[in-house]
Amino acid sequence: MAERIRLEKRVLSENDRLAADLAARFAEAGMFVANLMSSPGAGKTSLLEATAALLGEELRLAAIEGDLATDRDAERLRAAGLPTRQINTGGGCHLNAKQVAEALDEFRLDELDVLFIENVGNLVCPAGFDLGEHRRVVVSSTPEGEDKPAKYPVAFHKADCVVLNKMDLAAALGFDREAFLGFVRGLNLRPDIPVLEVSCRTGDGLDGWLDWVRAERRAALDGPRALPK
Amino acid sequence: MAERIRLEKRVLSENDRLAADLAARFAEAGMFVANLMSSPGAGKTSLLEATAALLGEELRLAAIEGDLATDRDAERLRAAGLPTRQINTGGGCHLNAKQVAEALDEFRLDELDVLFIENVGNLVCPAGFDLGEHRRVVVSSTPEGEDKPAKYPVAFHKADCVVLNKMDLAAALGFDREAFLGFVRGLNLRPDIPVLEVSCRTGDGLDGWLDWVRAERRAALDGPRALPK
């Protein structure tokens, strides 16, 4: 078991080194990069479809899609006007920095303002792997129940933003919004972490998400990870 | 990377050895064991709560609960009358046979008819680890979307049964039932895999699930893994 732990540490430190390279590339290109994590079916792709429709004329957007299999999500995003590269992980339960670096080679980075990395649908494993992103977004959804932050703390612990999707179903489900907020705030490192309540189906709340993307992009480009222009 | 693959193979083969021990213990005790896998929030715990209420007087049931953190689900099941042991994996994304063997020591196996193992909510990693179970159940739910079998094939590929939960939301969500069934049947090893459509909230369809448990218990006890009584 000690051997396994040592090896995992080595894999992680190799990933950290590649993630630092990615962060430098993102900074040099003046791009803002967000890493989206969630359970399967929480609505990451729907959020990006809506973002493409609402923000695509204002900012130059692109996406990297992580899935075990199929390019269904990449096709959805391309149909929404978002240039997208699909990564299929086979059995892999998360994206790693090496995969992102390879996908990145297919983009002209200096022509992009924002890159969304949609991780494999998994509330556990992706949280352990830095992809060089500026911000981490966890998408949760009301049908999953209000206690997911407590039961899957690793994803929520270091999140910079929580998007709570499928609010259109909240009343029918008897979703306890206050309980959800309490779990998030009890776990997250930031007392003021934004929790953005949206419905990608109805469009409710998406303005708040777009404002968050705009503001975090500005902050990231001015922040310590960015190189001087 | 070759070293990592070799080590993963060794961890898996150690798990397989422990899983074979578990299978022998289950057979000797004359218990039927089902391993439940799903995304977070698909409804594994709700299904077991309903099962305890509906089948608890007919068969002697128990559960093992896998979660990264908290004993919330074990408390829910105990409140429903199901003797339950909680396993907290810390960061671990699946249960393994060693954890199940340790939890098992707290039960009197000869007093049980059916053991449900509720795996960590994760549609990827649990599928790789045999727990000595007779049957694998994948719980999916309508809000996750109909394409999850295609996007997360490993869990569905070897499933013995798929429970499709939250059918009460299907109409409102525009859930495409035929598409879901097509994805499952296209992936699964068995052309006749049962797909049991239920709503744990309303109780619709649960009779089919109970019948499946009864029938598979009988088949498992008569099958090759069982010792002669």
Side-chain angles (χ1 to χ4, degrees), chain A residues 151-197:
Chain A
K151 290 178 55 192
Y152 300 86
V154 289
F156 287 86
H157 182 55
K158 291 186 182 174
D160 298 298
C161 172
V162 173
V163 174
L164 177 57
N165 188 27
K166 308 191 190 179
M167 285 302 291
D168 53 310
L169 299 173
L173 293 167
F175 182 82
D176 185 342
R177 182 181 165 277
E178 289 303 322
F180 180 84
L181 294 174
F183 284 127
V184 171
R185 302 226 152 95
L187 274 169
N188 193 263
L189 292 175
R190 295 173 45 177
D192 61 341
I193 178 168
V195 178
L196 308 175
E197 300 173 31

Side-chain angles (χ1 to χ4, degrees), chain B residues 134-198:
Chain B
H134 295 95
R135 298 289 184 269
R136 292 180 163 208
V137 178
V138 173
V139 181
S140 200
S141 65
T142 57
E144 297 169 59
E146 45 279 288
D147 64 355
K148 290 302 158 294
K151 290 178 57 192
Y152 300 86
V154 289
F156 288 87
H157 183 53
K158 291 187 182 174
D160 298 298
C161 173
V162 173
V163 174
L164 177 57
N165 189 26
K166 308 191 191 181
M167 285 304 291
D168 54 309
L169 300 173
L173 294 167
F175 182 83
D176 185 342
R177 181 181 165 277
E178 289 303 321
F180 180 84
L181 294 175
F183 285 128
V184 171
R185 301 226 153 95
L187 274 168
N188 193 264
L189 292 175
R190 292 173 47 177
D192 61 340
I193 179 169
V195 178
L196 308 175
E197 300 173 30
V198 309

Side-chain angles (χ1 to χ4, degrees), chain B residues 48-190:
Chain B
L48 294 184
E49 284 176 319
T51 306
L54 296 167
L55 207 61
E57 304 213 342
E58 180 184 330
L59 292 169
R60 297 168 299 175
L61 311 175
I64 290 174
E65 261 298 334
D67 279 299
L68 274 73
T70 83
D71 59 354
R72 294 176 59 85
D73 284 357
E75 284 179 16
R76 282 174 62 188
L77 293 183
R78 287 182 200 125
L82 205 55
T84 303
R85 298 292 174 258
Q86 179 79 51
I87 298 171
N88 280 149
T89 64
C93 53
H94 61 84
L95 291 179
N96 62 43
K98 183 166 180 285
Q99 293 164 328
V100 172
E102 287 165 4
L104 217 55
D105 290 338
E106 301 181 43
F107 288 109
R108 293 264 328 243
L109 300 195
D110 55 352
E111 294 177 357
L112 294 179
D113 295 315
V114 180
L115 175 70
F116 296 104
I117 303 174
E118 182 178 333
N119 222 308
V120 176
N122 185 319
L123 214 39
V124 185
C125 312
F129 288 79
D130 186 0
L131 306 179
E133 71 274 2
H134 295 95
R135 298 289 184 269
R136 292 180 163 208
V137 178
V138 173
V139 181
S140 200
S141 65
T142 57
E144 297 169 59
E146 45 279 288
D147 64 355
K148 290 302 158 294
K151 290 178 57 192
Y152 300 86
V154 289
F156 288 87
H157 183 53
K158 291 187 182 174
D160 298 298
C161 173
V162 173
V163 174
L164 177 57
N165 189 26
K166 308 191 191 181
M167 285 304 291
D168 54 309
L169 300 173
L173 294 167
F175 182 83
D176 185 342
R177 181 181 165 277
E178 289 303 321
F180 180 84
L181 294 175
F183 285 128
V184 171
R185 301 226 153 95
L187 274 168
N188 193 264
L189 292 175
R190 292 173 47 177

